[in-house]
Amino acid sequence: MASSASPRVSVLMPVFEQAAFLPLAMDGLRTQSVEDWELIVVDDGSQDDTPEVVPLLTADPRVRSVRLPDNAGLGAAVNAGLARAAAPVVAYLPADDRYDDVDHLADLLRVLGDPAVVLAYAGVRHHGDRESLAAPPDFPLQLVQVAHRRTRLRWPERHEQESDDLDRLMWSRLRRHGGVAGTGRVTCRWIDHPGQRHKAIRERFDGGPNVFRQRYRVTAPLRLHSSDGGLVDEVGRYARQRARQLPARPDGLTILLVGELSYHPDRVLALAERGHRLYGLWTPEPLGVDTVGPVPFGHVTDLAPENWVAAVRALRPDVIYAQLNFRAVRFADAVRRACPDTPFVWHYKEAPQRSIARGDWPTLAALTGSADAVVLSSPLERDWFERALPGRLAPDRTLVVDGSLPKADWFDGTPPARLSERDGEVHTAVLGRPVGLDPAFLRVLAGHRIHVHLHGLRDGPGPQGAWRSWLAEAREAADGYLHVHPAVDERGWVSVLGAYDAGWMHRTASHNGGDVGRATWDDLNHPARIGTLMAAGLPLLAPEHAGHAVAVSDLVRTTGVGLTYADPEDAAAQLADPHRLGTARATVARRRHEFTFDRYADRLLELFAEVRSG
């Protein structure tokens, strides 16, 4: 085995809880035809067997290791390796990837022999035995493919930004220093498995800020940029909330939040503002949008998940407030069973149909029927549960409060002048998925000079990403009246979205014929975008659903905060009617604060006191 006091290439191996992959990665490195390499293993705060496995690798004098006490993120781990690198060239070997060809490093060094080249990349095997020689955008360059000249550049660290897009993090910055060239050969493997970092970030793989937060035990707010959905800036969004002082009253309740908080999670600060102490215990299987702790807005103290039963018993909460969607059902039921003597309030939003499909209906039924009080998110959902669980919901301890109502703070501000005042045409907004707005529907709207502005298109599994195949056709049909914009977080609800005239609800069909027992998920649900549109002062546009039981249509009819339409021509006619649209807008202005969590916080606290007193 050759050795060198000055290695030709420093190979950096970031590892986080991937002990089982390490021998396979080392096997490919040790067989390289280039022998004068050094390997720097950076254990990024692993709590599995990694700390025991890494020392076995350092028997090779070319291997050094460093351990970070806590997970600090890819950027910090790689920077720790860069700080220790001795070679003029840096290559990467994540612990869960492999060099498949003995000449992998030799090929990369050959390409870097051209002084004009700063970054070399190899072709890669991925997703089984698929192969790619291409550079971005056809296949984003992964760490295992790349070697580059050592520069003064460092990777962004967690407090700056986390992303699955390595081009954003480093490769594009390196290109400013020279050329990029490929080896022309497939010599490495990017191993596909559920624990890959990018899958905890990307919505397409059910990832997102909360999956990432939980997997990597992140305790601070994130700036997370997903290639599926853009930037989520929790640092800026919640800076004001974190800086506030919310002292507890001497007689305040100790409230244990259990499960997940989904959309608009900072609503629970309305309870802390009233002098109550908030603690958190979170489901171990969240979706990317299902907010779990440590919450980025602060003022909630997490219990240790490793021994949560003992932690709950030591805390002795006055009430357990469990919530919210189908991913929380199993964990909430486990907490209920483990703490039978603690008052338990179960708040459920969506969707019993999804719980049924997952095989969780017996659990959801038992949880709902045994809770000391139940909160459901729409009158129609309450009716559905009363049909499904006859006699098991106590009328005086069953409330209807939408589980995704936002915090009232975000309703403050002065809206801008409406776009329609500038050009005389109607401008409408879609937040998130454009459900049901097919090209034919948009063509009719465009014919009446009605603009549709899409905010926050995000890729994802199933219907989440369906718009990708739809967008080109929709743009052609709308002929200049369809516009795509980034997502708007709470800071822009009033100042950005307030420029529009109205906002679209999901355009879905209903077939229940008024029989709530036949209602679907879409029939029962109040989408989280309702609160956002109310903050912006925008009337809701909802399908009429005559003869069917549909929660959103019922809401619009009973409150007057929007318009219901039969078809696109009807929608266009109503939007063109200044009296109808103006009346709906005035009603929204008068009633919009009814769509905040703060409006119902006192009633919820009364319910907590009732269950506590027995």
Side-chain angles (χ1 to χ4, degrees):
M1 179 182 299
S3 63
S4 172
S6 180
R8 292 176 65 195
V9 55
S10 297
V11 180
L12 308 185
M13 177 182 283
V15 54
F16 175 70
E17 298 187 353
Q18 293 167 333
F21 288 96
L22 280 165
L24 190 63
M26 279 302 303
D27 177 68
L29 178 59
R30 285 196 175 109
T31 60
Q32 291 296 296
S33 58
V34 171
E35 296 185 326
D36 48 350
W37 49 258
E38 67 169 355
L39 175 68
I40 303 169
V41 182
V42 183
D43 178 0
D44 192 13
S46 300
Q47 294 183 8
D48 66 348
D49 295 337
T50 300
E52 287 73 46
V53 175
V54 168
L56 303 179
L57 310 180
T58 58
D60 187 321
R62 296 172 294 180
V63 179
R64 292 181 286 148
S65 68
V66 59
R67 174 170 168 78
L68 306 183
D70 299 297
N71 182 269
L74 176 66
V78 174
N79 286 342
L82 285 173
R84 293 161 174 80
V89 170
V90 174
Y92 301 90
L93 179 57
D96 55 343
D97 293 329
R98 187 175 190 276
Y99 296 163
D100 275 359
D101 189 285
V102 296
D103 289 325
H104 172 78
L105 289 177
D107 286 355
L108 292 170
L109 290 168
R110 171 179 52 78
V111 172
L112 288 169
D114 180 347
V117 175
V118 69
L119 184 151
Y121 65 91
V124 63
R125 291 183 183 86
H126 58 96
H127 298 92
D129 286 321
R130 293 167 60 186
E131 295 187 350
S132 175
L133 286 170
D138 300 304
F139 190 88
L141 290 179
Q142 303 304 317
L143 286 170
V144 69
Q145 296 177 256
V146 170
H148 60 80
R149 300 187 190 282
R150 213 169 95 204
T151 69
R152 294 182 179 181
L153 292 175
R154 292 297 179 265
W155 289 70
E157 299 197 4
R158 181 165 287 161
H159 66 279
E160 299 168 283
Q161 183 178 165
E162 291 273 16
S163 180
D164 65 290
D165 184 349
L166 303 184
D167 193 68
R168 172 180 294 275
L169 296 180
M170 177 58 80
W171 308 151
S172 63
R173 297 161 63 210
L174 277 168
R175 288 192 190 96
R176 300 170 196 160
H177 294 260
V180 176
T183 66
R185 299 179 65 234
V186 173
T187 56
C188 61
R189 185 178 299 271
W190 185 54
I191 297 176
D192 180 43
H193 64 92
Q196 286 176 291
R197 176 178 174 274
H198 75 282
K199 291 180 180 176
I201 297 175
R202 296 187 62 179
E203 289 85 346
R204 182 179 296 184
F205 302 102
D206 278 346
N210 300 294
V211 173
F212 186 90
R213 185 190 329 280
Q214 194 167 82
R215 179 179 297 178
Y216 294 102
R217 300 186 284 275
V218 180
T219 59
L222 284 163
R223 287 190 179 99
L224 189 73
H225 195 288
S226 164
S227 56
D228 289 339
L231 176 65
V232 174
D233 179 14
E234 296 177 341
V235 178
R237 181 188 301 184
Y238 295 122
R240 182 176 60 175
Q241 287 89 332
R242 292 178 67 86
R244 293 178 64 191
Q245 298 295 317
L246 299 177
R249 299 184 339 222
D251 62 343
L253 298 175
T254 296
I255 302 170
L256 177 60
L257 307 171
V258 166
E260 51 85 13
L261 300 177
S262 193
Y263 293 105
H264 313 326
D266 62 314
R267 63 183 180 274
V268 299
L269 293 182
L271 306 177
E273 288 171 351
R274 287 157 172 79
H276 304 286
R277 295 170 292 274
L278 303 182
Y279 292 80
L281 182 62
W282 312 107
T283 176
E285 52 168 357
L287 289 170
V289 298
D290 290 347
T291 302
V292 293
V295 291
F297 44 83
H299 307 290
V300 179
T301 302
D302 279 7
L303 301 189
E306 295 80 13
N307 192 3
W308 61 262
V309 175
V312 174
R313 291 173 180 168
L315 178 65
R316 300 179 64 187
D318 294 305
V319 63
I320 292 173
Y321 181 28
Q323 50 193 296
L324 182 67
N325 295 333
F326 67 89
R327 283 288 186 110
V329 168
R330 296 173 188 173
F331 186 64
D333 183 64
V335 174
R336 173 62 175 152
R337 292 176 182 276
C339 308
D341 298 325
T342 304
F344 189 95
V345 177
W346 171 231
H347 194 160
Y348 191 58
K349 181 173 173 69
E350 54 183 270
Q353 292 83 0
R354 190 68 187 94
S355 289
I356 291 169
R358 292 186 91 212
D360 287 345
W361 171 242
T363 304
L364 176 57
L367 179 62
T368 306
S370 65
D372 297 290
V374 174
V375 187
L376 298 168
S377 288
S378 73
L380 199 64
E381 187 177 58
R382 177 195 57 202
D383 295 345
W384 188 94
F385 272 95
E386 288 175 344
R387 290 275 296 272
L389 302 172
R392 297 182 66 184
L393 297 181
D396 61 336
R397 292 198 176 179
T398 302
L399 296 185
V400 174
V401 177
D402 183 352
S404 288
L405 290 175
K407 191 77 179 62
D409 307 46
W410 303 114
F411 283 51
D412 295 337
T414 303
R418 290 193 298 275
L419 296 173
S420 55
E421 296 173 351
R422 184 185 66 193
D423 61 14
E425 299 182 340
V426 175
H427 291 260
T428 62
V430 177
L431 309 182
R433 291 186 293 148
V435 176
L437 298 185
D438 55 69
F441 190 94
L442 294 169
R443 182 178 289 110
V444 173
L445 296 181
H448 290 273
R449 296 186 174 182
I450 295 172
H451 295 261
V452 176
H453 296 261
L454 306 177
H455 280 272
L457 291 176
R458 309 181 76 86
D459 208 344
Q464 292 282 356
W467 60 269
R468 287 201 176 275
S469 60
W470 160 91
L471 186 57
E473 184 183 357
R475 274 181 158 152
E476 182 178 355
D479 192 23
Y481 282 81
L482 185 67
H483 315 276
V484 178
H485 309 279
V488 175
D489 69 30
E490 291 89 336
R491 294 167 293 177
W493 286 357
V494 174
S495 61
V496 176
L497 301 180
Y500 302 128
D501 295 296
W504 296 95
M505 293 292 96
H506 298 321
R507 182 172 171 260
T508 57
S510 180
H511 306 285
N512 63 52
D515 179 358
V516 69
R518 293 169 53 194
T520 65
W521 181 345
D522 289 318
D523 292 337
L524 300 182
N525 190 33
H526 281 173
R529 67 182 63 180
I530 291 175
T532 304
L533 293 172
M534 290 294 100
L538 305 188
L540 311 180
L541 302 173
E544 192 168 274
H545 291 129
H548 303 288
V550 179
V552 171
S553 301
D554 291 349
L555 174 72
V556 172
R557 281 195 299 268
T558 57
T559 63
V561 295
L563 305 172
T564 61
Y565 59 88
D567 54 41
E569 289 287 354
D570 185 31
Q574 294 193 60
L575 286 167
D577 183 335
H579 175 72
R580 282 200 174 196
L581 190 56
T583 299
R585 186 180 295 118
T587 303
V588 170
R590 186 175 69 253
R591 304 192 65 168
R592 59 199 282 265
H593 282 281
E594 296 175 21
F595 295 84
T596 68
F597 185 79
D598 306 65
R599 174 84 176 213
Y600 304 94
D602 290 332
R603 179 64 190 98
L604 279 170
L605 290 166
E606 290 173 5
L607 183 66
F608 296 168
E610 290 168 15
V611 300
R612 186 185 176 205
S613 64

